[in-house]
Amino acid sequence: MIVLNQIKKIFNTNSGCVTAVDSVNLSIRKGEIFGIIGYSGAGKSTLIRMLNLLERPTEGTVTIDGKDLTQISSKELRLARQQIGMVFQHFNLLWSRTVFENIAFSLEIAGVKKEEIKPQVLELIQLVGLSGKEDNYPSQLSGGQKQRVGIARALANNPKVLLCDEATSALDPQTTDEILDLLVQINKKYNLTIVLITHEMHVIQKICHHVAIMESGRIVEQGDVLTVFSNPQHPVTERFVKQVASEDDSIETVEHLIKKFPKGKIVLLKYLKEKAEQPFITNVIRNYQVDINIIQGKVVQTQEGGYGSLYVQLTGLEIIPALNYLKEVGVEVEVIS
């Protein structure tokens, strides 16, 4: 559905040339929710703006639904953009227009007949949960309601792709989850391809099928979300995963665990959710001369399944054989002390 081939973006500044996006290759399948995550300055905002050529690549090609957007005329590009909706971080609503008028605006620009606009807008208002708010102005709405208007407006022209540029970063946690649930609903209802950028791993964990991690303008790791969560390969990815999985192994935390549980070994166990259905802890206690004290743990749910992490203290005579058994049944073992 979306193919980026050797995309590069160089900005000319007073202090010289700055490479914001550097030789990025991505392939995004139709109907999936694809997340792009990175810290501030990673290049993710520039990258997503090149998907609809709000930023034109310095090098490389952007192909959407078989059409290379970098090679078409300005008129063709305007038509192609109608098939690419965009939701912004700060809503970008017209403050002098009502909810109804904001959503209708994109249809008016596209030349839709007046008598066809009203039923389409009312359907979208119902879809995003704003029935009864048609005549309200943006100043009368909460942040979450404003973003719902932005989503409805982005869907007005029945796009094939929806781009979300930090669409939840200005919202509180509860409202963020509500907006993410709405995006999942829209994705399933319309089989709509959604590409979102974020600096919050919770967003990736909750709704994305695949993720790409950016640093310094490059994709440093990508894959399906469950695989990336369970086996991160790059230090930046590990930092993001630990935000959600509560695997903070900072020196202070490790030292605290060692002082509080000085005997035996402190071990971090990582496993996919299906492993949690197997009694591997019980088997260790039954079959080895080992006592296990569970310190803390968490299971993180993704669109493709769950991933768990568990800190335990092992004491006894057969710690090493017990750890070998855990590895054999597919549990990842990291000895902390």
Side-chain angles (χ1 to χ4, degrees), residues 286-304:
R286 286 177 175 173
N287 298 322
Y288 299 91
Q289 295 183 52
V290 170
D291 290 324
I292 296 182
N293 176 29
I294 296 176
I295 301 171
Q296 65 183 38
K298 185 175 183 179
V299 174
V300 176
Q301 190 64 40
T302 74
Q303 286 290 308
E304 304 299 323

Side-chain angles (χ1 to χ4, degrees), residues 80-92:
R81 281 177 175 157
Q82 292 181 9
Q83 299 300 303
I84 307 172
M86 192 160 189
V87 183
F88 300 91
Q89 177 181 357
H90 297 296
F91 320 126
N92 285 19

Side-chain angles (χ1 to χ4, degrees), residues 268-287:
L268 173 60
L269 307 178
K270 302 178 186 179
Y271 52 92
L272 299 182
K273 187 178 180 182
E274 54 265 25
K275 295 295 182 184
E277 299 172 359
Q278 301 178 19
F280 59 84
I281 295 290
T282 302
N283 289 341
V284 167
I285 296 171
R286 286 177 175 173
N287 298 322

Side-chain angles (χ1 to χ4, degrees), residues 168-297:
T168 60
S169 63
L171 306 176
D172 62 78
Q174 179 177 339
T175 306
T176 291
D177 281 346
E178 292 171 357
I179 294 298
L180 295 178
D181 288 340
L182 176 60
L183 290 175
V184 171
Q185 175 189 342
I186 291 167
N187 167 256
K188 292 179 178 178
K189 182 179 179 67
Y190 298 108
N191 195 33
L192 183 66
T193 305
I194 299 178
V195 183
L196 61 86
I197 65 166
T198 183
H199 62 274
E200 300 171 294
M201 199 61 175
H202 166 72
V203 173
I204 302 295
Q205 167 244 319
K206 185 173 176 65
I207 71 169
C208 292
H209 303 106
H210 285 82
V211 61
I213 297 89
M214 289 193 72
E215 183 184 38
S216 302
R218 289 181 172 270
I219 301 293
V220 296
E221 188 168 352
Q222 61 178 301
D224 69 85
V225 172
L226 186 56
T227 298
V228 169
F229 259 85
S230 60
N231 190 27
Q233 299 296 306
H234 193 276
V236 171
T237 312
E238 290 180 350
R239 287 169 62 189
F240 276 121
V241 169
K242 286 174 181 176
Q243 290 177 6
V244 178
S246 299
E247 293 173 13
D248 184 1
D249 64 350
S250 64
I251 294 175
E252 293 82 4
T253 301
V254 172
E255 288 179 347
H256 171 74
L257 290 175
I258 293 172
K259 289 178 181 178
K260 189 172 182 180
F261 304 96
K263 298 180 180 179
K265 292 186 182 295
I266 307 298
V267 178
L268 173 60
L269 307 178
K270 302 178 186 179
Y271 52 92
L272 299 182
K273 187 178 180 182
E274 54 265 25
K275 295 295 182 184
E277 299 172 359
Q278 301 178 19
F280 59 84
I281 295 290
T282 302
N283 289 341
V284 167
I285 296 171
R286 286 177 175 173
N287 298 322
Y288 299 91
Q289 295 183 52
V290 170
D291 290 324
I292 296 182
N293 176 29
I294 296 176
I295 301 171
Q296 65 183 38

Side-chain angles (χ1 to χ4, degrees), residues 3-135:
V3 178
L4 305 184
N5 183 37
Q6 288 295 302
I7 287 294
K8 181 178 286 190
K9 181 64 181 181
I10 300 174
F11 291 103
N12 294 315
T13 68
N14 293 333
S15 57
C17 294
V18 175
T19 302
V21 175
D22 191 2
S23 304
V24 165
N25 294 300
L26 275 183
S27 181
I28 300 171
R29 298 180 306 204
K30 179 177 175 58
E32 76 171 329
I33 304 178
F34 193 101
I36 301 171
I37 189 169
Y39 292 107
S40 179
K44 57 189 186 297
S45 292
T46 302
L47 180 63
I48 200 171
R49 289 170 64 85
M50 286 194 287
L51 292 182
N52 57 6
L53 263 64
L54 289 179
E55 292 286 356
R56 184 169 285 274
T58 307
E59 298 177 11
T61 59
V62 178
T63 303
I64 296 183
D65 201 22
K67 183 177 293 185
D68 182 356
L69 301 190
T70 63
Q71 299 298 320
I72 60 178
S73 66
S74 298
K75 181 179 179 180
E76 289 175 309
L77 180 58
R78 285 194 297 271
L79 292 174
R81 281 177 175 157
Q82 292 181 9
Q83 299 300 303
I84 307 172
M86 192 160 189
V87 183
F88 300 91
Q89 177 181 357
H90 297 296
F91 320 126
N92 285 19
L93 301 181
L94 299 170
W95 293 87
S96 61
R97 286 177 171 251
T98 64
V99 168
F100 184 99
E101 291 167 342
N102 264 281
I103 299 169
F105 184 63
S106 57
L107 292 170
E108 294 168 4
I109 292 176
V112 177
K113 294 179 181 179
K114 190 173 182 180
E115 61 269 20
E116 296 176 2
I117 289 178
K118 184 174 181 178
Q120 291 185 46
V121 173
L122 292 178
E123 182 181 348
L124 287 167
I125 287 174
Q126 183 177 13
L127 173 68
V128 300
L130 289 177
S131 296
K133 301 287 185 181
E134 297 89 341
D135 298 325

